[in-house]
Amino acid sequence: MRFALLNFTVSCVSNDLAYVNKACCKHNSRMKILVLGAGGTGGYFGGRLAQSGADVTFLVRDRRAAQLAADGLVIETTRERIVLPVNTVLAAAVKPQYDVIILACKAFDLDSSIAAIAPAMHATTQVVPLLNGISHLDVLDAAFGRDRVMGGSCQIAATLTADGVVKNLGEFHTILWGARNADNTKQIEIANALGVAFAKTPVDSRVSENVIQDMWEKVMFLSTLAGMTCLMRASIGEILATDDGKAHTKRYLDACIAIATKEGYPPREATTQRFNTVLNSVGSPMTASMLRDLEAGNQVEADHIVGFMLQRARHHGIDDTMISIAYAHLQAYQNRRKAGRL
């Protein structure tokens, strides 16, 4: 279940020097972290930071704030259940006093997310976006400036249950982020400070030295996994059990690799080997979270993950057969959903 973000107009960042001076620190005190929402992804990673003693505040709506005040932030994994008292703030009370804002929304909520975090931004606040894909960086740059937007990525199968529990459904909880410009000393400083905070958690975390490369490698794999499992309405193992499933999956992945290569980010050999191992795992129950959203009748990130790759394939003259078929399938689903015919 995803966090339903607030819709309100982006206002100018406050010039209140009292708040700006408090926030523009050299990290001689604890770094102040704002997490947008306390759903599956934001609730998990933000909760692990809070558990480790980091100064974390969750920007949430009234109902979630009341739930967290009453029950705490509850995180369940396959190994443990933890309950944490956490700090929350409502939209009307947000001030520009944070060093880092972790943005873990869905791509189709990006505009409202920008509106939600705008009042929290000051001159040196850094945004760490954990969205799937690449194209959101341009939107965030336009809103806040490239110097205040890092790259970032995560891998976790997390959800928010109806009773407010953040559940990690798998064994993995990986996050990485990093400066997009080697000359941006403030961004590097804050990226490293966030690394110090995550080092105290059980999360598999890393400050990336080439974060755009990491993001392109993820979108190559994710587009293939989401496109194929949604198109076939099946797991990797079920696709491989068909006569031509392996060939179709390879054609999709090859196209994604060619796109990234044309964009200047050819996948590293170890990455390509890992992709091939996962996508050729006979009997694998793996599916993309997009398929789970689709089967539940929810909105999906088709445009951001599959449509984006289709656009880049056509721009570079790359075989788009599998990507275009997968995207047409997802567009048809979205049209039926919008018309109430599911």
Side-chain angles (χ1 to χ4, degrees), residues 229-250:
T229 59
C230 287
L231 177 62
M232 301 298 177
R233 302 290 181 102
S235 69
I236 289 299
E238 291 164 338
I239 293 170
L240 291 174
T242 68
D243 291 344
D244 296 315
K246 181 176 181 178
H248 292 326
T249 302
K250 182 179 185 302

Side-chain angles (χ1 to χ4, degrees), residues 37-51:
T41 301
Y44 184 84
F45 289 115
R48 288 301 195 181
L49 285 170
Q51 180 188 25

Side-chain angles (χ1 to χ4, degrees), residues 227 231 252 302-303 306-307 310 314 320-336:
L231 177 62
Y252 197 126
D303 300 339
V306 180
L310 176 60
R314 290 179 173 172
D320 65 15
T321 304
M322 293 307 304
I323 305 175
S324 64
I325 294 172
Y327 189 49
H329 176 81
L330 290 164
Q331 284 182 306
Y333 164 79
Q334 290 176 312
N335 291 339
R336 286 177 59 81

Side-chain angles (χ1 to χ4, degrees), residues 26-324:
K26 294 294 184 180
H27 305 297
N28 52 6
S29 60
R30 286 193 305 166
M31 179 172 58
K32 294 181 71 65
I33 303 168
L34 182 69
V35 180
L36 180 64
T41 301
Y44 184 84
F45 289 115
R48 288 301 195 181
L49 285 170
Q51 180 188 25
S52 73
D55 186 349
V56 178
T57 300
F58 293 91
L59 173 56
V60 293
R61 298 181 69 179
D62 290 356
R63 181 177 178 276
R64 184 61 169 147
Q67 190 174 51
L68 292 170
D71 303 328
L73 176 63
V74 182
I75 298 176
E76 290 184 357
T77 74
T78 57
R79 302 173 186 272
E80 63 180 336
R81 174 186 171 94
I82 61 174
V83 181
L84 304 168
V86 292
N87 300 319
T88 62
V89 64
L90 302 177
V94 173
K95 302 295 182 182
Q97 57 183 335
Y98 300 96
D99 298 292
V100 174
I101 299 175
I102 295 177
L103 187 62
C105 65
K106 292 287 190 178
F108 43 73
D109 282 328
L110 181 57
D111 289 343
S112 57
S113 298
I114 289 171
I117 66 173
M121 297 288 293
H122 63 73
T124 60
T125 303
Q126 292 292 324
V127 178
V128 176
L130 299 180
L131 288 75
N132 292 317
I134 300 286
S135 60
H136 58 274
L137 293 178
D138 290 338
V139 181
L140 289 165
D141 288 351
F144 302 122
R146 180 184 172 89
D147 287 347
R148 296 200 289 170
V149 181
M150 294 191 204
S153 178
C154 69
Q155 291 182 309
I156 187 169
T159 189
L160 182 67
T161 68
D163 56 350
V165 175
V166 174
K167 280 197 171 186
N168 183 1
L169 305 174
E171 295 292 331
F172 53 92
H173 49 179
T174 301
I175 183 172
L176 63 86
W177 65 94
R180 294 161 61 199
N181 186 337
D183 297 328
N184 190 333
T185 56
K186 173 54 69 173
Q187 198 166 83
I188 292 170
E189 175 192 346
I190 294 180
N192 289 334
L194 187 59
V196 171
F198 265 112
K200 300 174 184 177
T201 75
V203 171
D204 179 9
S205 62
R206 174 167 62 92
V207 180
S208 173
E209 295 182 358
N210 194 348
V211 71
I212 303 302
Q213 176 74 39
D214 288 318
M215 293 175 70
W216 265 107
E217 289 178 349
K218 179 180 176 180
V219 78
M220 281 185 292
F221 175 73
L222 183 59
S223 185
T224 305
L225 179 66
M228 288 303 299
T229 59
C230 287
L231 177 62
M232 301 298 177
R233 302 290 181 102
S235 69
I236 289 299
E238 291 164 338
I239 293 170
L240 291 174
T242 68
D243 291 344
D244 296 315
K246 181 176 181 178
H248 292 326
T249 302
K250 182 179 185 302
R251 189 172 184 179
Y252 197 126
L253 179 60
D254 286 348
C256 289
I257 290 173
I259 293 165
T261 300
K262 285 287 189 180
E263 292 284 335
Y265 298 97
R268 292 162 286 199
E269 183 178 353
T271 301
T272 303
Q273 290 176 350
R274 186 169 69 252
F275 290 169
N276 282 315
T277 297
V278 173
L279 295 173
N280 289 284
S281 180
V282 175
S284 170
M286 177 177 283
T287 66
S289 61
M290 189 186 294
L291 176 60
R292 296 192 290 274
D293 287 337
L294 186 150
E295 290 179 331
N298 296 331
Q299 193 169 356
V300 294
E301 294 180 302
D303 300 339
H304 200 60
I305 297 170
V306 180
F308 168 74
M309 293 299 276
L310 176 60
Q311 187 272 330
R312 300 318 297 163
R314 290 179 173 172
H315 174 76
H316 293 297
I318 292 165
D319 173 23
D320 65 15
T321 304
M322 293 307 304
I323 305 175
S324 64

